Amino acid sequence: MKGIRVRLKGLAKHFGRVVALRTLDLDVRAGEMVAFLGPSGCGKTTTLLMIAGIYQPTAGEIYFGERRVEHLHPRDRDVGMVFQSYALYPHLTIFDNIAFPLTLKKIAPAEVARRVRQIADLLGIAHTLDRRPGQVSGGQQQRAALARALVKEPQVLLLDEPLSNLDAQIRVQARGEIRRLQQEIGVTSILVTHDQSEALAMADRVAVFSTGELQQFAPPDELYRRPANTFVARFVGYPPMNLLEGRYEPGAFVLDDLRIPVPPGHPAGRGWLGFRPEDATLDGDVPGRVTVAEALGRENLVTLRIGPAEVKVLVPQGRRPAPGTPARLGYRREHVHFFDASGRRVGA
Amino acid sequence: MPLLPPRWRLLLVAIAALSLPILSGLAWLLLTGWFDQVHGLVPTGRLGPDNWRFLWEAVGGRPSVWIPLRNSLIFSGVVATVVVLASSMAAYAISRLSFPGRAAYLGLVLVLHAFPAVSLIIAIFFILRRLGLFDTLTGVILVKASLELPLGIWLMKGFFDYLSWEMEMAALVDGVSRWTLFWRIALPMVRPGLLALGTFALLSAWGEFILPFTLIVSNQNWLMSAYLQTFLGEAFTDFGMVAAVGLFYAVPVIVLFLLGQRYLLNIYGGGVKG
């Protein structure tokens, strides 16, 4: 099984007057795992279903390697797909579910049985093969769905929220397993998720979507360190980045009558100032007042009111100021983020 | 069996009272079928198989009972099969595919269902005559099946509407064609619906009287209901034999019920489990 390069060129999808996906250009390297991340209705699942061949694109091209596929029936595209509900066939045993894609290809029964057993062993569900989907656990159903997607050795693996129906504990374990398996097999994979920790943990690169448009396509750490706009800045990272809307003057960010000193490289005029809670401190020089202090376990999360805005600050465990206490906000200058009035990132 | 709480005993009495007319009818049928003479529900004559002689001899110029029985079995079986197949295909198309005129078609089907068969019978008579299907089993089968279709389509559409889209998408990615999807994925998943519809169509066809009575003339093509009717139309009605033929007519339905009891009760009980 070898992965293949997947390219989307000018891909768009309209449902009547509703624009589900505006225009998308994306290049997924062979063997790479890419996550489509975004809130519901952002166009990520629509894109996945166009790659699978369930939806016809309104415009644009899809390439698997050098082959143009957007006009092909799903069965001629050589993709495997795992659905959120797993979509196992309830009237068939797990064995027959996994074997289904192979029997459609008219592969000899002995060969089918051999390949089903092989993939079932790999995923640790060999003992469930003669049961029906309703008789096995959620985690086993999820792995059976994965086995069904992988048994035909597809060139592209599509995963639509494959973990969101699992318990929190199994989910962390399952995402590690899927990632390990994907790297072992080397199949090009696209994962659709609304859960940023899933996307960041599993993918080589993450494509962040919002309102039918690609916001940023980058490796997880870059997404975190250099968000391309205020949407990504707010969406990726927990607790979310502090974003203040105000006016830049030389050397300072002005928020009502507050002046926050900023390092060079900032834009001029109206814009946004961003810094993450872990890059903020209570030992700076912007006056404020504590409103809430929550214990998160390893750290405490302090909410601070400065002027018209609220800001979150992560502080070490020992420190938990009472609400109403005055505090002085500061931030690490080297980790500041500048955005212009339209929300686009400015500078490095 | 443990003694029932008083509230339940009251309910039982109520049920028994409501069922009394039907039960006494059945009792009459049973008694009259096996005795020479019955006054009310009290047998006065001898117990004997005399009323059942239609089983081994042709009675009063009628064909042997085995001919209408055979016809009725064919009629009901074919009607049920046609109704189940045609409604499930039509319902699947209506539920899953988008095509021009879909909504109008759905409305039309509902309107068609509103017409009682009797009001159409003269038109149907002329159509069958023209097609050369008058006085044939094929003709009545087609008419009966068509009249059952609207209900069947609506029933099956309800079942198909509940199938998950993801399941169909999964099957498409697995490599099925639309046709394979229908046969191997969609149909097996609506099996409770198929069984319910098949049973209703079978029972409805088995009990059908007006259509075969008006559209079939030759006694070689009679159905059981028409055969039974001939006993009532005589100057002197032999109620003993009417009862016996009636019981005989009910036997296949009882056998069907005994064989499929578990399934049928599940359906009637509203148990639609995937």
Side-chain angles (χ1 to χ4, degrees), chain B residues 18 45 89 181 195 198 219 234 251 258:
Chain B
L18 284 170
M89 286 185 212
L181 177 57
L195 281 170
N219 59 18
E234 289 183 324
V251 165
L258 289 178

mmCIF file of all heavy atoms in Angstrom, chain B residues 18 45 89 181 195 198 219 234 251 258:
data_model
loop_
_atom_site.group_PDB
_atom_site.id
_atom_site.type_symbol
_atom_site.label_atom_id
_atom_site.label_comp_id
_atom_site.label_asym_id
_atom_site.label_seq_id
_atom_site.Cartn_x
_atom_site.Cartn_y
_atom_site.Cartn_z
ATOM 1 N N LEU B 18 -66.064 -7.312 25.097
ATOM 2 C CA LEU B 18 -65.952 -6.715 23.765
ATOM 3 C C LEU B 18 -65.764 -7.773 22.688
ATOM 4 O O LEU B 18 -66.222 -7.626 21.563
ATOM 5 C CB LEU B 18 -64.791 -5.714 23.721
ATOM 6 C CG LEU B 18 -65.073 -4.376 24.401
ATOM 7 C CD1 LEU B 18 -63.790 -3.560 24.522
ATOM 8 C CD2 LEU B 18 -66.121 -3.605 23.609
ATOM 9 N N GLY B 45 -78.566 -31.536 15.750
ATOM 10 C CA GLY B 45 -78.437 -32.699 14.869
ATOM 11 C C GLY B 45 -77.259 -33.573 15.242
ATOM 12 O O GLY B 45 -76.716 -33.465 16.339
ATOM 13 N N MET B 89 -39.245 -0.743 -4.526
ATOM 14 C CA MET B 89 -38.425 -0.029 -5.509
ATOM 15 C C MET B 89 -38.896 1.417 -5.668
ATOM 16 O O MET B 89 -38.100 2.355 -5.667
ATOM 17 C CB MET B 89 -38.490 -0.728 -6.862
ATOM 18 C CG MET B 89 -37.680 -2.001 -6.885
ATOM 19 S SD MET B 89 -37.669 -2.701 -8.545
ATOM 20 C CE MET B 89 -37.598 -4.427 -8.168
ATOM 21 N N LEU B 181 -26.580 -1.416 -4.114
ATOM 22 C CA LEU B 181 -26.890 -0.714 -2.876
ATOM 23 C C LEU B 181 -28.316 -1.033 -2.437
ATOM 24 O O LEU B 181 -28.580 -1.326 -1.276
ATOM 25 C CB LEU B 181 -26.726 0.788 -3.107
ATOM 26 C CG LEU B 181 -27.056 1.746 -1.963
ATOM 27 C CD1 LEU B 181 -26.225 1.408 -0.749
ATOM 28 C CD2 LEU B 181 -26.803 3.170 -2.382
ATOM 29 N N LEU B 195 -41.705 -7.525 5.540
ATOM 30 C CA LEU B 195 -42.532 -8.586 6.119
ATOM 31 C C LEU B 195 -43.928 -8.079 6.439
ATOM 32 O O LEU B 195 -44.931 -8.744 6.155
ATOM 33 C CB LEU B 195 -41.875 -9.122 7.393
ATOM 34 C CG LEU B 195 -40.729 -10.098 7.152
ATOM 35 C CD1 LEU B 195 -39.992 -10.382 8.445
ATOM 36 C CD2 LEU B 195 -41.264 -11.391 6.554
ATOM 37 N N GLY B 198 -45.766 -7.417 3.134
ATOM 38 C CA GLY B 198 -46.077 -8.692 2.493
ATOM 39 C C GLY B 198 -47.258 -9.371 3.170
ATOM 40 O O GLY B 198 -48.160 -9.881 2.509
ATOM 41 N N ASN B 219 -65.861 -20.568 -13.977
ATOM 42 C CA ASN B 219 -65.678 -21.165 -12.667
ATOM 43 C C ASN B 219 -64.302 -21.812 -12.508
ATOM 44 O O ASN B 219 -63.869 -22.078 -11.403
ATOM 45 C CB ASN B 219 -66.811 -22.134 -12.325
ATOM 46 C CG ASN B 219 -66.923 -23.255 -13.337
ATOM 47 O OD1 ASN B 219 -65.971 -23.514 -14.091
ATOM 48 N ND2 ASN B 219 -68.083 -23.908 -13.378
ATOM 49 N N GLU B 234 -77.936 -19.295 -3.464
ATOM 50 C CA GLU B 234 -78.906 -20.297 -3.889
ATOM 51 C C GLU B 234 -80.270 -20.065 -3.248
ATOM 52 O O GLU B 234 -80.401 -19.358 -2.255
ATOM 53 C CB GLU B 234 -78.403 -21.690 -3.509
ATOM 54 C CG GLU B 234 -77.229 -22.125 -4.358
ATOM 55 C CD GLU B 234 -76.803 -23.537 -3.992
ATOM 56 O OE1 GLU B 234 -76.877 -23.861 -2.786
ATOM 57 O OE2 GLU B 234 -76.417 -24.284 -4.907
ATOM 58 N N VAL B 251 -58.432 -21.735 6.839
ATOM 59 C CA VAL B 251 -57.313 -22.581 7.281
ATOM 60 C C VAL B 251 -55.937 -22.034 6.856
ATOM 61 O O VAL B 251 -55.041 -21.903 7.697
ATOM 62 C CB VAL B 251 -57.512 -24.032 6.807
ATOM 63 C CG1 VAL B 251 -56.219 -24.828 6.930
ATOM 64 C CG2 VAL B 251 -58.612 -24.684 7.632
ATOM 65 N N LEU B 258 -49.746 -19.369 12.401
ATOM 66 C CA LEU B 258 -49.020 -20.252 13.312
ATOM 67 C C LEU B 258 -47.540 -20.316 12.936
ATOM 68 O O LEU B 258 -46.666 -20.312 13.798
ATOM 69 C CB LEU B 258 -49.635 -21.656 13.291
ATOM 70 C CG LEU B 258 -51.008 -21.761 13.962
ATOM 71 C CD1 LEU B 258 -51.542 -23.178 13.853
ATOM 72 C CD2 LEU B 258 -50.917 -21.345 15.425
#
